[in-house]
Every structure is written in structure tokens, then in C-alpha cells.
């Protein structure tokens, strides 16, 4: 056994782990940052500079990709240049008690390399939701607690968007928004007027930079985000937080480090470190620190907690409440509508915009907007565009002529909805099966229920109303039939709350029962909210939690 | 090891660059591709070597079932050429080729309309799809038909300039 002592340990290098590393290092703590996958260096390890004809399969996935990663290869942005940012499914199998798509990126940077980049603040409509309708436990924080931390992280991240003055979708510290195209502007005006301002189409808010920050950005509108971005056009751990952490000289980054458990000292009533399995050699190491941040992403943080069994915590670290692994949420999404537009025939778009338009929530924000059919709400992301006609009957010159014509403008919007926290939606450790590292396999048992179904139906039909009001023709609704997990917003399995009997973390993301362990990834969420882009909330909570943890350390409380 | 052996080695190297199709089939598919998407004031599918593209995609990306449909499709296409014109596809005039593939395209449209959910795609749909995809992702198609811009640097959502030539 090697013994290594640090001030702090961060488990995971994705969106929240990168922030924990940056904040801890900048506050002067010698920090060990553990990542289960390989290293990915900004720019050096990206394939974004290749032209399509330089890719052997011109971007397509191969049968070998599907064999290697049957689940990951179904994720929307799995591509020839991004596939190395997705896990080999055979390395970490899991049991789907009910169908659950678990997208994973095991490398330095985690899923921050392949995330959707949308960034929306949550409001008190979200933080008060559980208290209002009784599902889940009340959030121990309100918007005012997190608002300054949204300000803080947004200015570093670089979020482009427009200020709208909506109480249920707070404005942020934004860079100028990416422009709407002619059809989006036209539809937005008609919708605003037609629904008396109750339904709105606004600019998407995205962590794609319209202004340079240091050496990052601005976005070059190439449409290649999932390949990594050599321009640093979007926020990732690799481009932003990890270089900042490294620049302090306080970070020790250790890739290929699978954390199997958090070590707990019963006498000290504290965690003392972590046990690590080297992913390449399977050798076991122990590392020690005064404070530990778990940012392994929702389900893997849960796995580590449940696997950290001791006399003091026979059911997993800090699991006196029995809530760890429960209340798993994703977001129901994929319900929407699409339509075509007859005008703007002489207009086209230039550049590939990495965001679109956003429709803020308009259901259940107050008494007036209360739905008799379902609780909570939904939002839409979407956009309009126009391309060349891509398929036509026939062959020869006449086919080529047809494919030289522009198609009609079209627009679609797709809903992201709230998933209520149900205790029975859960992950547990398989009692028998283990992965190649000897870690128990997770059993994921999660479903959408009646509320999600009714919310989805309303979202689908309302999408058509919005597009029709916007002046689109041939409006058709759709439901992509997405299963839990596929929104990649899995959250809730180590939730924050006021009461240690019913929650795992306090209002500082600190474990009620283990004061020097902080959890600031998606597992901390007490509700899913219908605001997409949960990452900005994880970032804000992480920076806030580090600030608190370090001040507690200085006071000698940790 | 010069002379004959060097020739054999180079021949082996060349044939090894093919994955599932032989040189004759790749040549034939380039001719089929050119009939589907011919040279006009911009280059056609042959110039973009869609045949070699199909070799890679059919070998690596197609399921074994779809590979079979595709490969049998080459024979079916030749049979159709012989049935209609009494000749191998490669011996047909450009007009005859277009006439033949227009008829097969119609056949594929009918097949696609009536096929069951689990029935495979028609072989000609595969060839047409690969011809177009191969062309538009080739350097020739991307730069000479479309306007290739690796880093646009901005988004203009309301321009009168067409994104292709």
C-alpha cells in the first residue's frame, strides 16, 4: 500500500469535478484529482480539425462501435470523432431492471466534452416545488442562496444568452446571445403576441462563447462541439477549469483511478481518504485527505457511497437515512412538434449555430397557469433552419438539379419535462455481479409514471399550438418515446435536504453524517426541475460548497 | 525480390485496401453512382470515388444482413440490365443506364412503400443513399458542389447567399 496525503481529494473530472478542483486549488489546497478514465488533453486529443473526407467512415458509427458500446452508440452525439469520449459498455456493465440508457464518458473532462451546453438558472418555482406539492423533500436552499454563485460561475464559463426579466427563469451574467434566424424571429413575435406574452420564444442560453475569455473562444460556428473544440469555443473541464486548477501548482491529476470506496474512521467520525483501483494494473492504492469531494457523476457517486460499507455505515457511507440510491430522476423529453414555412424563400443561414431557441415554462408557475392534469412543468428547445433538398425520386441530371434546390424553412420544438422524485426509482448494488474492477454492478430501476406521461402529452400538444400560432404549416406532433436515462440528466440519489432522517446532504452539499465529504454532482438534486441544462446548477453549488468547506476547515470544524 | 515478386506485393497491397468489394465491383459502383449523380457543371459521383466509399461503409457499418442485400443487389442490377437491354451495365450507353436506374428507382419506391417494418431496405436505396452521402462528404462534393467552410466564425440567420454553388 502506498500512503499519500493531500489536503483535498476530488473524485471525477467532469463538469462538477473540474469546478471542485479549480476552486480547491485556487484556495491553496493541495488537491488530488482522480479520474477513472484516460487523460484527454485540450486540443491535443481532439479530432475536430479533420474534414469529413478525412474520416474513414465520414462520421458514421461502425458495427464494431455498436458491439463495443451498444448503449453509448445510441446516444445522439456519438460520432466518429466523439466515440472515444464514450465508455466501452463492457468495461462497466449495469443491470436494467427497467430500460435505462446510461450515457458515460470516462476520461479527463468526463461528459463535459460531450455535454449539451445549455445553461439555465433554476428559480424559486423550482426550489419550492417539493414543498408545494409534497413530492420529495424540501430543498434546503432558495434562489437567493445560489444566485451569487450562478453569477460567479457564469462569468468564468461564458454563457451566451438574452436577459428576459422572467421570475421563473432568472437572468444571468450573459455574453451576447447567438442570433435567431429570420423564421425564429418571425415566429417569436407572433407567439408572444398570440399568447399575450404567456408563451415566449427566447434565445437559447449556452456555454458557447460569443466573446473570448482568456485563450478560450469565441465559437467558430463549425457544428463540431462533440469532437472537442480546439478553439475552446465551449466550456469543458479540459478547456477551462482543469487548466485553471493546474496553473496553481496545487493539483495532482491521476487518470486511470477507479475509486472503489471512501475510507471512514469511526473514532474521528470523518472520512480519511479513498481507495483507488488502478484501471490499468488493477493495483490498489489509498490516498488520504482532510476533505473529499465526490463528483463522479450521479450514478457512480452513488455506487461509491453504497460500496463504502463499514461498521459505522453498514448500508453505505452516510446512509443513515436509507435514501442513497433512491429518488432517481432523469427528465422525460422528446415530445414536440415540427412544421414548415412558406416564406423567406430568398433567405438562407450561414454557419452552424451550436444552440437554438428556448421556450420558458408556462405551466404551473402560479395559480393562473395551474394545470388540472399534472404537476410541475416543461420547457422546449428547438430551432428553425433551411437546407438543400437532400433526397428526391429519380436519378441523373434531373435528380442533381432537384438536390440543388433549397428546401422549405422548417421549425421544430422539443420538450424537456420534470420527473417527480419517487422513492422507488432507485439504484442498488447487484448482490452477485461485479465489473472487471471487482466493483459491484449497479441495478437501475427507474421509470416514468402517470404525471410524466400526462405532462408529456400536454407538452406535445402545446408544441403544435405554439408552432401554429407562429405561422407554421403542416404542423405534426411527435413523441420520440425516450426511456429514462436518455436525457442524460440523471439526478437525485444522494439528495440535499433539511432533515438528516430523509436526506443525505445538508444545504452546503455536505453529508449530514460525514462532515468532511461533499457531493456536488447531480446526485445532490432534490428535484429534477424542468429547466434543462442542470450542469450550471452543479457548477454553482460546487463553487459554493468549496467556499464553505474551506472556511469550515479554517475554523477547525472539518 | 524485384520484378514479379514486387509486382505481386504491390498488387496485394492494392487489393488489401478493399474491404468487402473487389476492384471490378468498385468500378461498377462508381459507374452506377455517376448515373445517379452525374457530372454537370459540377463533378459527379465517379470523380468523388463513391465506389471506394461504399466498400468501406458496407464492410464496416452495415449489418451482415444488409451486406448480403447490397452484394446481391449488384447481381440483381446486372440481371435487370441484361433483361432490359441484353447487356452488362457497363456496356450500356449513358441513356440506357439512366433509363434502367430510373426503372429500378421506381421499383425501389414501390418496394419501400409496401415493405414490412423488419424487411431490409431495397438494394437500390442503399446504393443511392451511399452515392449521395459519399458525394456530399467527399472533398469534391463538399467543396465544389457545397461551399465548404471549416470555420465560419459567425452565424447569420438571414442571408441571401446560398450555402452551395
Amino acid at each position: 500500500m502506498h500512503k499519500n496525503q493531500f489536503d483535498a481529494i476530488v473524485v471525477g473530472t467532469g463538469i462538477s469535478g473540474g469546478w471542485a478542483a479549480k476552486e480547491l486549488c485556487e484556495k491553496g489546497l493541495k488537491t488530488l484529482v482522480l479520474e477513472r478514465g484516460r487523460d484527454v488533453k485540450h486540443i491535443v486529443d481532439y479530432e475536430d480539425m479533420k474534414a469529413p473526407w478525412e474520416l474513414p467512415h465520414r462520421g458514421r458509427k461502425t458495427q464494431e462501435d455498436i458491439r463495443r458500446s451498444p448503449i453509448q452508440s445510441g446516444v445522439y452525439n456519438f460520432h466518429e470523432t466523439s466515440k472515444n469520449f464514450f465508455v466501452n459498455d463492457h468495461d462497466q456493465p449495469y443491470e436494467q431492471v427497467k430500460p435505462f440508457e446510461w450515457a458515460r464518458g470516462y476520461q479527463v473532462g468526463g461528459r463535459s466534452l460531450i455535454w449539451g451546453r445549455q445553461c439555465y438558472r433554476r428559480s424559486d418555482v423550482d426550489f419550492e416545488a417539493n414543498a408545494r406539492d409534497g413530492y420529495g423533500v424540501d430543498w434546503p436552499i432558495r434562489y437567493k442562496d445560489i444566485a451569487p454563485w450562478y453569477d460567479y460561475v457564469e462569468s468564468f464559463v461564458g454563457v451566451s444568452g438574452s436577459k428576459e426579466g422572467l421570475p421563473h427563469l432568472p437572468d444571468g451574467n450573459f455574453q451576447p446571445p447567438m442570433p435567431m434566424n429570420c423564421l425564429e424571429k418571425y415566429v417569436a413575435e407572433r407567439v408572444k403576441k398570440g399568447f399575450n406574452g404567456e408563451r415566449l420564444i427566447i434565445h437559447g442560453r449556452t456555454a458557447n462563447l460569443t466573446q473570448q475569455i482568456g485563450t478560450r473562444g469565441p465559437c467558430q460556428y463549425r457544428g463540431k462541439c462533440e469532437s472537442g473544440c480546439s478553439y475552446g469555443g465551449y466550456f469543458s473541464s479540459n478547456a477551462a477549469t482543469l487548466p485553471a486548477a493546474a496553473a496553481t501548482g496545487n493539483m495532482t491529476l491521476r487518470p486511470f483511478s477507479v475509486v472503489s470506496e471512501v475510507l471512514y474512521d469511526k473514532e474521528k467520525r470523518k472520512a480519511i481518504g479513498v481507495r483507488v483501483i488502478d484501471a490499468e494494473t488493477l493495483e490498489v492504492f489509498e490516498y488520504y485527505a482532510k476533505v473529499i469531494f465526490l463528483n463522479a457523476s450521479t450514478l457512480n457517486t452513488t455506487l461509491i457511497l453504497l460500496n463504502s460499507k463499514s461498521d459505522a455505515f453498514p448500508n453505505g457511507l452516510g446512509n443513515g437515512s436509507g435514501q442513497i440510491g433512491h429518488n432517481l430522476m432523469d427528465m422525460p423529453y422528446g415530445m414536440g412538434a415540427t412544421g414548415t414555412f412558406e416564406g423567406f424563400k430568398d433567405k438562407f443561414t450561414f454557419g452552424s449555430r451550436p444552440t437554438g431557441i428556448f421556450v420558458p415554462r408556462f405551466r404551473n408557475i402560479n395559480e393562473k397557469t395551474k394545470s388540472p392534469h399534472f404537476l410541475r412543468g416543461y420547457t422546449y428547445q428547438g430551432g428553425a433552419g433551411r437546407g438543400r433538398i437532400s433526397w428526391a425520386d429519380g436519378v441523373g441530371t434531373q435528380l442533381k438539379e432537384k438536390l440543388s434546390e433549397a428546401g422549405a424553412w422548417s421549425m421544430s420544438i422539443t420538450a424537456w419535462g420534470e420527473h417527480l422524485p419517487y422513492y422507488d426509482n432507485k439504484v442498488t448494488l447487484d448482490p452477485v455481479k461485479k465489473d472487471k474492477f471487482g466493483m459491484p454492478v449497479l441495478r437501475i430501476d427507474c421509470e416514468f409514471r402517470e404525471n410524466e406521461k400526462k405532462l408529456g402529452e400536454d407538452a406535445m400538444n402545446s408544441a403544435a399550438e405554439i408552432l401554429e400560432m407562429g405561422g407554421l404549416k403542416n404542423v405534426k406532433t411527435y413523441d420520440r418515446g425516450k426511456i429514462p436515462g436518455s436525457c442524460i440528466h440523471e439526478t437525485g440519489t444522494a439528495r440535499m435536504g433539511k432533515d438528516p432522517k430523509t436526506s443525505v446532504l445538508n444545504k452546503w452539499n455536505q453529508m449530514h453524517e460525514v462532515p468532511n465529504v461533499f457531493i456536488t454532482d447531480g446526485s445532490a438534486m432534490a428535484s429534477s426541475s424542468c429547466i434543462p441544462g442542470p450542469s450550471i446548477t452543479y457548477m454553482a453549488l460546487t463553487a459554493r460548497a468549496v467556499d464553505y468547506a474551506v472556511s469550515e476547515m479554517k475554523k477547525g470544524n472539518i | 525480390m524485384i520484378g514479379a515478386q514486387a509486382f505481386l506485393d504491390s498488387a496485394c497491397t492494392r487489393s488489401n485496401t478493399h474491404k468487402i468489394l473487389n476492384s471490378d465491383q468498385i468500378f461498377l459502383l462508381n459507374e452506377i453512382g455517376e448515373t445517379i449523380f452525374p457530372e454537370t457543371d459540377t463533378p459527379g459521383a465517379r470523380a468523388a470515388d463513391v465506389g471506394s466509399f461504399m466498400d468501406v461503409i458496407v464492410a464496416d457499418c452495415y449489418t451482415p444482413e444488409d451486406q448480403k442485400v447490397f452484394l446481391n443487389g449488384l447481381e440483381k442490377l446486372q440481371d435487370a440490365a441484361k433483361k432490359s437491354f441484353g447487356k452488362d451495365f457497363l456496356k450500356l450507353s449513358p441513356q440506357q443506364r439512366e433509363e434502367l436506374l430510373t426503372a429500378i428507382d421506381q421499383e425501389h419506391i414501390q418496394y419501400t412503400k409496401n415493405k414490412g417494418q423488419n424487411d431490409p431496405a431495397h438494394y437500390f436505396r442503399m446504393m443511392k443513399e451511399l452515392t449521395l452521402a459519399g458525394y456530399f462528404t467527399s472533398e469534391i462534393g463538399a467543396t465544389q458542389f457545397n461551399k465548404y467552410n471549416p470555420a465560419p466564425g459567425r452565424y447569420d440567420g438571414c442571408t441571401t447567399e446560398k450555402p452551395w454553388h
Side-chain angles (χ1 to χ4, degrees):
Chain A
M1 287 279 176
H2 301 250
K3 291 201 172 186
N4 290 305
Q5 182 71 43
F6 293 85
D7 295 327
I9 291 173
V10 176
V11 181
T13 59
I15 286 276
S16 66
W19 267 98
K22 171 186 175 299
E23 296 299 298
L24 288 162
C25 288
E26 288 181 347
K27 287 180 187 292
L29 275 68
K30 294 287 177 195
T31 305
L32 174 67
V33 179
L34 298 167
E35 164 53 50
R36 65 177 292 155
R38 70 194 163 105
D39 194 12
V40 168
K41 289 208 163 48
H42 183 49
I43 303 174
V44 178
D45 292 322
Y46 301 157
E47 292 203 65
D48 63 322
M49 300 308 267
K50 286 185 175 158
W53 56 88
E54 291 170 331
L55 303 172
H57 304 97
R58 310 269 175 95
R60 291 187 193 212
K61 61 186 159 203
T62 65
Q63 291 295 309
E64 178 54 27
D65 294 335
I66 296 167
R67 261 193 299 279
R68 179 180 175 269
S69 300
I71 296 157
Q72 310 307 308
S73 59
V75 176
Y76 74 100
N77 58 357
F78 185 99
H79 180 268
E80 191 160 21
T81 57
S82 69
K83 65 186 179 191
N84 290 330
F85 298 151
F86 290 88
V87 70
N88 177 334
D89 281 314
H90 303 293
D91 282 354
Q92 195 198 19
Y94 62 97
E95 292 292 311
Q96 301 182 51
V97 180
K98 300 188 183 82
F100 189 94
E101 187 180 292
W102 186 15
R104 288 158 290 167
Y106 292 165
Q107 61 268 327
V108 169
R111 294 188 301 198
S112 79
L113 286 165
I114 44 178
W115 68 309
R117 307 171 307 283
Q118 294 285 301
C119 289
Y120 301 91
R121 291 187 179 199
R122 296 184 182 195
S123 74
D124 276 337
V125 176
D126 301 295
F127 291 114
E128 289 167 2
N130 288 1
R132 202 180 306 119
D133 59 37
Y135 279 88
V137 293
D138 189 14
W139 280 87
I141 57 168
R142 290 295 182 264
Y143 180 65
K144 66 174 170 37
D145 299 308
I146 194 175
W149 295 100
Y150 277 131
D151 287 342
Y152 176 72
V153 295
E154 281 164 355
S155 62
F156 180 80
V157 168
V159 179
S160 54
S162 57
K163 297 201 177 192
E164 303 287 343
L166 302 171
H168 51 287
L169 189 76
D171 291 331
N173 208 338
F174 298 143
Q175 295 192 347
M178 293 186 167
M180 288 190 195
N181 59 46
C182 19
L183 181 55
E184 289 163 350
K185 276 187 204 158
Y186 173 87
V187 173
E189 273 169 34
R190 284 182 57 119
V191 166
K192 186 176 182 179
K193 210 172 149 204
F195 288 105
N196 296 316
E198 283 165 16
R199 297 187 194 183
L200 295 170
I201 291 177
I202 67 169
H203 293 273
R205 296 174 177 177
T206 184
N208 291 86
L209 281 63
T210 51
Q211 291 173 339
Q212 194 170 33
I213 299 179
T215 56
R216 290 189 285 130
C219 171
Q220 296 299 306
Y221 300 88
R222 301 180 301 153
K224 290 186 167 186
C225 297
E226 73 276 4
S227 316
C229 183
S230 296
Y231 294 91
Y234 71 92
F235 174 88
S236 65
S237 300
N238 312 61
T241 46
L242 293 175
T248 63
N250 290 328
M251 178 171 75
T252 304
L253 175 65
R254 192 188 194 287
F256 296 116
S257 301
V258 180
V259 172
S260 60
E261 64 181 293
V262 176
L263 304 166
Y264 182 74
D265 186 318
K266 207 162 124 185
E267 308 303 316
K268 292 181 185 156
R269 301 168 73 94
K270 277 183 185 176
I272 53 167
V274 296
R275 186 167 291 138
V276 166
I277 303 162
D278 187 292
E280 291 182 302
T281 65
L282 301 184
E283 226 178 318
V284 175
F285 298 87
E286 286 183 1
Y287 294 96
Y288 305 99
K290 294 172 205 151
V291 63
I292 295 164
F293 271 72
L294 292 181
N295 300 91
S297 87
T298 295
L299 295 177
N300 273 320
T301 287
T302 308
L303 172 60
I304 293 166
L305 292 171
L306 292 175
N307 199 46
S308 303
K309 290 176 182 164
S310 61
D311 293 345
F313 294 114
N315 301 316
L317 186 78
N319 195 17
S321 66
Q323 293 292 331
I324 294 178
H326 290 273
N327 316 299
L328 175 61
M329 298 164 277
D330 185 29
M331 293 178 83
Y333 91 111
M335 305 71 64
T338 186
T340 57
F341 188 73
E342 283 155 15
F344 298 122
K345 285 190 192 304
D346 59 338
K347 295 291 195 298
F348 303 89
T349 62
F350 174 84
S352 184
R353 190 185 50 180
T355 184
I357 56 88
F358 185 71
V359 181
R361 174 177 179 173
F362 52 84
R363 295 285 196 223
N364 296 327
I365 26 181
N366 49 34
E367 276 306 310
K368 199 181 155 204
T369 56
K370 203 165 172 182
S371 162
H373 306 296
F374 59 92
L375 299 168
R376 315 279 171 116
Y378 53 81
T379 58
Y380 299 99
Q381 295 174 59
R386 184 190 203 193
R388 187 175 45 72
I389 291 173
S390 59
W391 187 265
D393 292 347
V395 302
T397 312
Q398 56 95 14
L399 173 68
K400 201 172 176 186
E401 276 165 9
K402 273 188 217 162
L403 300 194
S404 305
E405 288 167 22
W409 279 87
S410 67
M411 180 161 179
S412 54
I413 56 174
T414 301
W416 269 246
E418 184 148 1
H419 191 184
L420 289 173
Y422 305 113
Y423 180 80
D424 290 341
N425 276 347
K426 63 184 184 294
V427 286
T428 52
L429 303 185
D430 192 285
V432 181
K433 289 183 186 155
K434 304 239 191 288
D435 67 20
K436 72 180 203 185
F437 305 110
M439 289 288 284
V441 160
L442 280 177
R443 294 173 61 82
I444 307 180
D445 183 354
C446 185
E447 64 182 8
F448 295 133
R449 294 185 184 169
E450 206 52 29
N451 196 65
E452 290 74 36
K453 202 176 145 229
K454 285 187 177 150
L455 176 152
E457 283 165 8
D458 188 71
M460 188 173 79
N461 296 329
S462 301
E465 286 172 12
I466 290 169
L467 293 185
E468 275 161 4
M469 184 67 80
L472 290 138
K473 300 277 183 268
N474 308 312
V475 173
K476 292 185 184 80
T477 59
Y478 53 80
D479 179 352
R480 308 252 187 256
K482 293 288 183 181
I483 60 170
S486 58
C487 194
I488 324 182
H489 290 169
E490 66 276 11
T491 54
T493 45
R495 68 188 179 192
M496 295 168 80
K498 293 170 180 165
D499 185 350
K501 290 194 202 74
T502 57
S503 61
V504 181
L505 307 171
N506 68 14
K507 66 178 175 178
W508 302 107
N509 294 74
Q510 179 182 31
M511 292 195 90
H512 287 301
E513 297 177 298
V514 191
N516 64 333
V517 173
F518 291 79
I519 300 175
T520 63
D521 60 21
S523 55
M525 298 297 105
S527 69
S528 80
S529 161
C530 68
I531 307 297
S535 299
I536 197 74
T537 298
Y538 307 161
M539 297 189 225
L541 288 175
T542 303
R544 180 175 175 270
V546 170
D547 187 65
Y548 175 78
V550 174
S551 75
E552 286 295 285
M553 287 170 88
K554 283 184 184 151
K555 288 180 201 156
N557 293 340
I558 291 179
Chain B
M1 197 204 76
I2 40 173
Q5 189 55 45
F7 174 76
L8 279 176
D9 283 351
S10 72
C12 283
T13 312
R14 205 163 54 234
S15 70
N16 280 346
T17 62
H18 303 326
K19 286 172 166 264
I20 195 168
L21 305 171
N22 62 38
S23 303
D24 290 344
Q25 289 169 319
I26 290 174
F27 184 85
L28 173 62
L29 284 162
N30 269 324
E31 296 303 310
I32 293 167
E34 184 68 16
T35 310
I36 293 170
F37 210 73
E39 182 181 349
T40 52
D41 53 345
T42 54
R46 188 202 294 120
D49 192 14
V50 295
S52 296
F53 168 74
M54 291 189 215
D55 177 45
V56 175
I57 299 301
V58 173
D60 292 350
C61 304
Y62 273 33
T63 62
E65 298 75 43
D66 284 345
Q67 287 176 343
K68 204 181 277 177
V69 172
F70 184 91
L71 293 170
N72 289 342
L74 281 171
E75 286 170 34
K76 286 188 181 168
L77 189 139
Q78 286 291 23
D79 289 346
K82 278 165 200 151
K83 200 174 155 201
S84 298
F85 299 101
K87 281 186 203 166
D88 186 288
F89 181 82
L90 294 174
K91 299 225 166 77
L92 302 183
S93 71
Q95 289 73 20
Q96 288 171 324
R97 289 179 182 189
E98 190 172 326
E99 197 180 312
L100 178 73
L101 294 194
T102 301
I104 295 176
D105 188 59
Q106 278 306 315
E107 174 196 312
H108 125 254
I109 291 165
Q110 287 309 313
Y111 171 86
T112 305
K113 206 181 283 172
N114 300 323
K115 88 179 183 72
Q117 219 184 345
N118 297 320
D119 295 336
H122 191 281
Y123 74 86
F124 191 71
R125 188 166 191 88
M126 296 175 177
M127 289 175 191
K128 188 170 168 180
E129 191 272 322
L130 290 175
T131 296
L132 298 177
Y135 181 79
F136 286 111
T137 56
S138 71
E139 184 166 8
I140 279 175
T143 60
Q144 297 186 41
F145 186 93
N146 285 332
K147 292 176 187 168
Y148 181 66
N149 190 337
R154 64 190 171 88
Y155 178 74
D156 185 343
C158 211
T159 173
T160 49
E161 194 197 334
K162 262 207 298 192
W164 53 91
H165 294 288

